[in-house]
Amino acid sequence: MSYKRSRANYEADLTAQQSPYVVFGTPLPPVDPDVRDDGSYVPLWKQEVRDERGRKRFHGAFTGGFSAGYFNTVGSKEGWTPSTFVSSRTNRHKDDANAAKMRAEDFMDEEDLADAEESRRIQTATAFAGLGSTQNDASRTANLMGLFRPDGDTMGAKLLKKMGWKEGQGIGPKVRRKARLELREDMADKTSSFLFAPENVPMIKFSRKTDHKGLGYAGHSRLAPIGLSSKSVTAENSDEDEDQDGSGGFGRPKFSLSVGRKKEKEKTRGGIGMGTLNDTGSDDEDPYEIGPRISYNRVIGGDNKKKKKATTTINPALKSKPTFIPRKTGLAKVALGVRKCHDGRLPLEGFIWGKEDDPLISTINCEGKYPPPKIPTDWESSRRSKPETAAEVFVSTADAAKASTLDPKARAALLGEKQLPGKSVFDFMSAASRERLAAVTGRTDLPPARGEVPAGFALSEAERLQELISRVPKLDKESAVAALARDTGSGAPYADNDVKRSRYRAYLEHQAGFRKEFPAKPPHLNNDEWLREFGEFFNCARIFKPMTGFMASRFTTSSGTKTNSGSNGAVNDQDLVSRPPLKPKDPAEEAAKLGMYGPMTRSVAEFYPTRLLCKRLGVKAPAFVQPEEGGASGNPKKSDDSSQFGGFGNAMAARQGHLGLDFGSVASSEATMPTEATSAQGQRDDVLKLAAPPVEVVDSTRNKALESARAADAVFKAIFGDSDDDDED
Amino acid sequence: MPDFPQRPIAQLLGSNGPVHAVTYSASPSAYVLTGSADRSIRLYNPSSTSAPPTSNSITPPATPAIPKPIPQARLIQSYSAHGYDVLSLSVASSNSTFLSAGGDRAVFVWDVATAQTIRRLGGIPPHSHTGRINTVTFAGVDDSLALSGGIDCTVRIWDLRSQGHKPVMVLDGAKDAVTSIVAGRETGGEIIVGSVDGRVRGYDARMGRCVTDVIGASVTSLCLSRDGKTVLVGGLDSKMRLMDRRDGACLRKYEDEGWRNEELRVQSLLGGRERWVVAGDEMAGEGGEGRVWAWGLLTGKVVAKVSVPWGPAGEGRKRVIGKDGKEKEKKNVVSCIDWKDGGFGDQFCVGGTSGVATVFGE
């Protein structure tokens, strides 16, 4: 026995558990802080308006105010500035790949978002319902092509509509007839007629007879749609199934006292015994309700014993009474009606077995019995597409041209053009140009360059020479004269190449106007080399361009090389290259290089040994010794050429001695060091001008400065004032 | 006039690298010191020789001119404290100490007997050489000074009597590395310094003056004559010059087409009681053999050309593979030389890149 509480007990329990003090009325549900929207009373000051996402809706002092951003303004705390503002001066915003991008959704409120979401949902058109769907199986199983039935009009329908056709009308010219107004037949004017579209002629459909039903009988569509829940179907229509899968349709409609009778009634259309009475429009009325409760069997010979179905459940919640289906019969039914797969299982849900044609039908429809009409042999469709082969392999014009083996001449012949004179560009091209072209294109099969000149443009030899001469750089006369003047010296340009030098001179003479005819082209040079050489001459001679008066007064030459030699100065081509001025060489080095060891290579400086050194060396210390305390760093002062006590005269004498050396050696050393010689020459001139009278013969092997002048002793004494006797080790 | 000694009488083996310095001991000149690139100094007795082992009796084909193997001199002592190559040696006249210097910026004063360094001059940075020391020599009364010149362009004069770590004096007149110093008793208080800047500077302490003679080419070797009036200057222009100390004149030049000295420090000296000018050679003879040339001092003509053989087979002739993968031809450059001044007979000792010092005699 199941225990069931009485109502009183139930209420008592409820009261005791939840609201023990409520004695009158319905108690409020328990106060649970977690349950927010339970309908419990919340005082007004505690109420908050929140949107569906749980965000607080209203801000500000008054809770019913604006739903605004920042203090009821449209701005933000930072003011009306987009928070993602980035200066694009240095940081181009569009270049930034992961920059924060504002989407349209950022500016939408919930409503807009919902709209957008709704519009975004993609739904498969019902006409294209997927393969797995079992919604329209009943219609789909008939023809697989139903799967691909397109939505919308066919092309023919579209065309027709364009021509004025409307759905429901027939096709053809309009028909004049009377209007059919069935509703107000009496009131209609019988005589008047109108133009109407013709009647729609129903389509004659030839469909294969694939079943055993009688001719013209389409059956009824009442058979349980697969979409229904199978449980209810099996439970409720267990009796009907048997006649349905047979030759059903001949029995009477089945009526039962089942609860789903109303629904069922709609499906029983088409059975025998159902007539216009069904079309009353009222679903509630059952035409057979009042009559004796007869149930018709739609199957001839079917047993009636299962018709008794006075099955009403006590529990109205149950739609139908659960019936026990013994396993045996269930399996048998499965074995009979439902085909199993080869592994003994039912097909997967959503799949059904395909239908095999009835052998009878298939023999009727077998091939050859009713062959399709034969197409006349000479018939040709006007719609036939062009052969695909041409379009398949697309060949561009360039490719086609490449494939062609014709050369321009052959093409010209094909086109019937007149042949051009048999010259190509290369025939007029010089060899150098062809080389350049070959280098650029990297092709080695270019035709040889002939360097021909068209007859109209051919130059005579004289003209060509004239043209070449016109390209020789022009040197102004002053420069040419100046350069010519320099050219006589020993260090002239191209001193090593007499032939070239003579050409250089000839060029200068021509430019200076001394020589009328242009110098002849040397045989071993071609035109380009000749021109290049003239350019070189030009650059060489341009150096000597005399300065104009104003500029000349402003500048002075740095060395005597160019100024002191108006006519006999030497210019060697090394001067053309600008190089840092040579350091004045040590004359002693030069003397040593010449092997003139002796006074020239010897110089004497003071040396201040420490006293200890002298002592250790066993020598008497000189009068001037280095103080002992700095012994570690004791070193002679920077050794100068001029002795500290030698005085100016000594230095001058030494200098003159050096000069004397140079003077004496100019003749011999000119070849090796011309610049030295000339500079020394220049200096010598100055010295000689300054001290003109004493033209003394300088002996290079003796150095008076050194040999005569240790004039020091007296000077030492005068300076240091003490005698050598005072010095002790 | 006796002939130039050309017969190799002993080979001084044991060095594991080129020999940079050879020197005879003082007055009897009975011993030879060699300073080597293997950072050690070896003391040999060239007069007490032992026959070479029989395994070495096979004459190497490269030296067919030598009829029989050269005897090996006895190695008496080896001195090792240097951390770098030993580049210069100088033996005190008392034969009790000697100086050595090299890459380690300090001059070592050795006790010959104990093979220990008595002092190390320099080594404390502000007063020491800042680079390699090329040359070192005794100077002064009773060898009381040590002179060292190095690549830092200075000559430092050290007092051996006091224990101070500071040099007595630093001569920094040179504009380039100092390669040779002569400060013998003959000079009488003058220190002659040869430098790479092509100058020979004579620091005369007595007169208090420094005489600079310009040679031109870099000076690699100096040798003073006994009377102190001339000095032999070897330069990197393949010439040696006998210079007059008095006025700096060049008394004679010694050169030959076959003799070359342009890159390396090749020592040259006046040998055989100043009859000859003897020098090593950068060029090698056939088979990479070293050569020693001798000129007559007065004539300036080549007197002798002595071939310096390689050591015994397997000694000093390491195969060197160059960067191009081929075996480099190794030359025996005779870079150092010393003449036996004391004792009887003309004898000299040469050392070079073969790592074997060879003693030549009559």
Side-chain angles (χ1 to χ4, degrees):
Chain A
M1 282 293 285
S2 68
Y3 168 74
K4 189 173 191 303
R5 287 183 298 179
S6 68
R7 175 73 185 177
N9 284 339
Y10 168 71
E11 283 181 0
D13 284 345
L14 195 66
T15 318
Q17 283 167 7
Q18 296 184 348
S19 48
Y21 305 112
V22 174
V23 293
F24 187 77
T26 308
L28 287 169
V31 177
D32 187 357
D34 296 335
V35 181
R36 189 165 56 86
D37 201 12
D38 51 3
S40 59
Y41 173 73
V42 177
L44 201 62
W45 53 272
K46 259 191 171 179
Q47 285 177 7
E48 301 178 321
V49 182
R50 290 177 184 271
D51 61 6
E52 63 269 20
R53 296 188 196 177
R55 294 176 303 198
K56 206 170 171 183
R57 178 93 190 274
F58 295 123
H59 309 273
F62 309 101
T63 51
F66 299 95
S67 169
Y70 185 73
F71 287 108
N72 295 336
T73 68
V74 294
S76 64
K77 193 176 181 182
E78 291 82 19
W80 180 232
T81 310
S83 58
T84 52
F85 174 75
V86 177
S87 168
S88 63
R89 169 173 270 182
T90 56
N91 178 20
R92 298 301 298 170
H93 202 60
K94 65 181 167 59
D95 298 336
D96 197 359
N98 47 9
K101 290 201 173 61
M102 300 296 278
R103 299 170 305 147
E105 284 80 2
D106 294 338
F107 302 100
M108 290 179 171
D109 60 359
E110 283 78 10
E111 228 173 295
D112 296 332
L113 282 175
D115 285 348
E117 195 62 31
E118 199 169 346
S119 68
R120 219 160 55 99
R121 191 182 300 142
I122 298 172
Q123 200 168 15
T124 316
T126 49
F128 288 99
L131 269 172
S133 161
T134 55
Q135 226 170 356
N136 302 323
D137 267 349
S139 61
R140 206 169 46 207
T141 48
N143 50 345
L144 194 69
M145 289 306 289
L147 275 177
F148 305 105
R149 185 181 60 208
D151 197 12
D153 292 335
T154 61
M155 184 54 69
K158 279 182 186 167
L159 285 173
L160 285 171
K161 277 180 179 170
K162 262 189 178 176
M163 292 160 70
W165 178 77
K166 290 189 180 62
E167 302 245 11
Q169 294 178 351
I171 298 170
K174 294 203 169 171
V175 180
R176 177 168 294 275
R177 64 168 168 82
K178 284 176 225 160
R180 294 192 197 110
L181 299 167
E182 284 87 357
L183 292 179
R184 299 187 302 163
E185 216 164 348
D186 44 356
M187 294 170 68
D189 190 358
K190 303 271 169 125
T191 56
S192 64
S193 62
F194 303 95
L195 278 175
F196 284 101
E199 296 275 337
N200 194 9
V201 181
M203 191 90 157
I204 302 168
K205 198 172 164 189
F206 299 101
S207 55
R208 278 188 172 184
K209 185 76 178 159
T210 56
D211 50 9
H212 287 205
K213 291 170 183 167
L215 277 178
Y217 178 69
H220 53 81
S221 57
R222 183 187 160 261
L223 297 180
I226 297 175
L228 274 175
S229 106
S230 57
K231 271 180 196 165
S232 65
V233 167
T234 46
E236 194 180 343
N237 303 333
S238 57
D239 52 343
E240 299 168 3
D241 285 337
E242 282 136 79
D243 50 18
Q244 272 163 15
D245 48 9
S247 63
F250 295 108
R252 57 210 154 88
K254 171 216 161 211
F255 294 102
S256 67
L257 289 176
S258 69
V259 192
R261 196 184 53 192
K262 277 184 193 168
K263 281 185 199 160
E264 223 172 286
K265 227 165 48 182
E266 298 168 1
K267 299 170 194 165
T268 57
R269 236 174 279 140
I272 295 172
M274 294 292 288
T276 52
L277 282 173
N278 279 352
D279 292 336
T280 53
S282 157
D283 287 343
D284 290 335
E285 285 186 358
D286 193 350
Y288 301 103
E289 209 170 22
I290 49 170
R293 299 183 183 273
I294 323 159
S295 57
Y296 297 94
N297 198 350
R298 277 180 253 159
V299 179
I300 300 170
D303 62 342
N304 310 352
K305 78 174 189 261
K306 280 187 182 173
K307 292 299 170 305
K308 294 286 174 268
K309 281 206 73 172
T311 52
T312 44
T313 50
I314 299 164
N315 191 350
L318 289 173
K319 297 255 189 312
S320 63
K321 184 189 179 187
T323 37
F324 172 72
I325 302 170
R327 181 177 169 78
K328 204 173 151 190
T329 55
L331 279 179
K333 206 168 78 176
V334 160
L336 281 175
V338 186
R339 290 177 61 187
K340 284 191 293 186
C341 293
H342 64 277
D343 56 352
R345 294 184 189 176
L346 292 173
L348 292 174
E349 196 178 353
F351 287 84
I352 56 167
W353 275 95
K355 257 185 195 165
E356 280 178 14
D357 273 347
D358 194 276
L360 169 69
I361 307 300
S362 58
T363 50
I364 291 170
N365 294 332
C366 71
E367 291 297 321
K369 197 158 189 180
Y370 300 108
K374 281 196 177 135
I375 300 169
T377 51
D378 55 348
W379 184 81
E380 194 168 351
S381 169
S382 60
R383 289 295 189 81
R384 205 165 71 181
S385 60
K386 277 183 241 169
E388 291 270 315
T389 50
E392 254 173 10
V393 189
F394 172 75
V395 181
S396 73
T397 316
D399 290 339
K402 264 180 208 163
S404 157
T405 55
L406 300 172
D407 59 344
K409 282 179 188 170
R411 277 196 288 273
L414 282 179
L415 293 170
E417 285 176 351
K418 197 186 255 180
Q419 292 280 326
L420 286 171
K423 303 277 185 189
S424 80
V425 176
F426 287 96
D427 289 340
F428 303 103
M429 201 174 269
S430 70
S433 307
R434 182 195 173 273
E435 290 290 322
R436 215 162 45 231
L437 203 61
V440 168
T441 57
R443 292 182 57 171
T444 55
D445 55 344
L446 295 175
R450 299 231 174 78
E452 291 176 13
V453 178
F457 299 95
L459 297 172
S460 69
E461 197 63 33
E463 281 171 337
R464 200 176 300 163
L465 186 65
Q466 203 58 46
E467 193 262 346
L468 203 62
I469 287 170
S470 71
R471 284 160 64 192
V472 169
K474 298 283 183 293
L475 192 66
D476 56 315
K477 187 170 178 176
E478 295 82 11
S479 301
V481 170
L484 208 52
R486 306 281 168 92
D487 192 47
T488 54
S490 61
Y494 315 116
D496 53 340
N497 189 344
D498 278 342
V499 184
K500 193 168 185 181
R501 187 174 173 185
S502 69
R503 289 203 298 272
Y504 175 60
R505 284 191 63 85
Y507 169 72
L508 290 180
E509 283 168 7
H510 177 78
Q511 296 295 334
F514 300 152
R515 177 197 281 237
K516 287 293 165 217
E517 73 278 11
F518 202 78
K521 186 167 84 80
H524 64 276
L525 294 178
N526 63 23
N527 288 345
D528 284 343
E529 287 167 354
W530 201 36
L531 268 181
R532 210 175 302 132
E533 194 181 72
F534 278 128
E536 189 183 327
F537 290 161
F538 171 71
N539 284 329
C540 182
R542 203 172 44 170
I543 307 281
F544 306 113
K545 178 177 181 175
M547 275 185 287
T548 55
F550 181 69
M551 292 293 277
S553 68
R554 292 251 160 177
F555 292 96
T556 181
T557 46
S558 60
S559 71
T561 315
K562 288 171 187 173
T563 49
N564 64 354
S565 55
S567 61
N568 60 349
V571 172
N572 59 23
D573 47 359
Q574 287 178 351
D575 286 349
L576 301 182
V577 185
S578 80
R579 55 181 60 183
L582 289 171
K583 282 205 291 190
K585 282 184 183 168
D586 189 0
E589 289 265 9
E590 294 302 321
K593 203 180 277 181
L594 296 171
M596 305 179 67
Y597 295 101
M600 294 301 100
T601 61
R602 170 163 282 200
S603 60
V604 179
E606 292 302 317
F607 171 53
Y608 310 100
T610 58
R611 199 177 291 272
L612 179 61
L613 175 65
C614 296
K615 189 178 175 184
R616 290 277 182 263
L617 286 174
V619 297
K620 199 175 184 180
F624 39 89
V625 290
Q626 207 172 19
E628 200 67 43
E629 72 275 2
S633 64
N635 48 5
K637 295 299 166 214
K638 286 297 170 192
S639 313
D640 289 329
D641 258 4
S642 60
S643 129
Q644 191 176 347
F645 304 102
F648 179 65
N650 199 352
M652 267 314 284
R655 180 177 167 78
Q656 282 195 2
H658 287 313
L659 292 172
L661 161 76
D662 287 339
F663 183 38
S665 66
V666 157
S668 64
S669 67
E670 197 178 38
T672 52
M673 38 177 195
T675 52
E676 275 296 317
T678 48
S679 68
Q681 205 174 355
Q683 286 179 6
R684 180 200 57 191
D685 289 344
D686 296 340
V687 170
L688 288 183
K689 271 177 213 157
L690 286 174
V695 182
E696 50 184 352
V697 179
V698 181
D699 185 3
S700 68
T701 59
R702 296 193 63 208
N703 188 348
K704 283 182 183 173
L706 293 175
E707 289 173 21
S708 67
R710 193 170 187 263
D713 286 347
V715 179
F716 291 158
K717 279 181 184 166
I719 291 173
F720 291 99
D722 51 357
S723 69
D724 289 348
D725 301 336
D726 297 335
D727 294 326
E728 279 185 3
D729 288 344
Chain B
M1 190 168 178
D3 287 337
F4 188 77
Q6 302 198 7
R7 189 173 66 86
I9 55 175
Q11 280 189 328
L12 317 180
L13 306 177
S15 169
N16 196 20
V19 173
H20 289 313
V22 293
T23 182
Y24 276 95
S25 61
S27 179
S29 298
Y31 301 96
V32 174
L33 275 171
T34 63
S36 164
D38 65 355
R39 303 175 296 195
S40 60
I41 300 151
R42 289 180 180 82
L43 176 65
Y44 297 92
N45 186 355
S47 57
S48 95
T49 56
S50 61
T54 51
S55 62
N56 287 343
S57 63
I58 303 159
T59 309
T63 60
I66 298 166
K68 61 175 182 176
I70 307 160
Q72 296 177 0
R74 190 154 66 91
L75 174 66
I76 297 168
Q77 182 66 273
S78 93
Y79 304 86
S80 51
H82 275 284
Y84 294 86
D85 293 8
V86 180
L87 296 176
S88 182
L89 294 170
S90 178
V91 183
S93 55
S94 66
N95 270 336
S96 61
T97 58
F98 69 91
L99 301 175
S100 68
D104 28 12
R105 303 181 203 174
V107 179
F108 287 15
V109 184
W110 295 87
D111 183 32
V112 174
T114 62
Q116 299 291 322
T117 56
I118 303 169
R119 287 187 66 187
R120 301 190 181 191
L121 308 170
I124 301 166
H127 303 300
S128 68
H129 282 281
T130 55
R132 202 176 64 202
I133 298 177
N134 284 325
T135 180
V136 66
T137 184
F138 275 109
V141 178
D142 298 332
D143 294 330
S144 56
L145 291 175
L147 273 62
S148 61
I151 205 168
D152 60 348
C153 313
T154 62
V155 174
R156 283 166 202 266
I157 304 171
W158 310 89
D159 186 9
L160 293 175
R161 295 235 175 113
S162 73
Q163 293 294 319
H165 58 275
K166 288 201 283 190
V168 175
M169 203 168 171
V170 177
L171 311 177
D172 58 356
K175 300 291 187 295
D176 208 334
V178 174
T179 56
S180 49
I181 301 172
V182 173
R185 291 137 217 126
E186 310 89 359
T187 60
E190 189 168 7
I191 299 165
I192 304 171
V193 175
S195 165
V196 177
D197 62 359
R199 280 159 177 79
V200 175
R201 290 178 177 82
Y203 295 91
D204 191 348
R206 188 194 299 276
M207 300 296 289
R209 58 177 194 170
C210 169
V211 177
T212 302
D213 282 327
V214 178
I215 301 300
S218 297
V219 176
T220 57
S221 169
L222 289 177
C223 182
L224 196 71
S225 65
R226 292 184 164 202
D227 57 1
K229 288 182 178 162
T230 57
V231 64
L232 181 74
V233 179
L236 282 186
D237 54 352
S238 299
K239 290 184 184 68
M240 285 174 291
R241 295 177 179 87
L242 190 67
M243 307 296 287
D244 193 350
R245 290 295 304 143
R246 188 176 59 85
D247 57 359
C250 176
L251 299 176
R252 193 156 310 276
K253 272 197 292 193
Y254 305 94
E255 58 184 326
D256 192 86
E257 292 85 16
W259 181 75
R260 203 174 68 195
N261 179 18
E262 287 168 347
E263 295 173 335
L264 308 175
R265 185 189 74 165
V266 170
Q267 204 180 356
S268 57
L269 51 77
L270 302 166
R273 283 165 181 76
E274 299 179 358
R275 278 169 300 186
W276 299 299
V277 170
V278 190
D281 192 359
E282 273 183 27
M283 299 258 281
E286 65 278 1
E289 278 191 342
R291 290 188 294 186
V292 175
W293 295 63
W295 289 264
L297 179 77
L298 298 176
T299 61
K301 301 269 172 32
V302 174
V303 172
K305 203 160 75 170
V306 182
S307 171
V308 180
W310 291 89
E315 186 91 24
R317 292 206 74 173
K318 286 180 200 149
R319 290 160 58 89
V320 178
I321 307 297
K323 280 180 183 171
D324 51 355
K326 283 184 278 192
E327 188 180 355
K328 272 169 117 176
E329 195 199 358
K330 210 176 163 198
K331 294 189 293 185
N332 184 9
V333 176
V334 176
S335 62
C336 52
I337 187 166
D338 198 20
W339 198 276
K340 181 179 180 182
D341 281 329
F344 298 105
D346 288 328
Q347 197 185 81
F348 67 96
C349 177
V350 296
T353 52
S354 67
V356 177
T358 313
V359 179
F360 288 89
E362 289 165 309

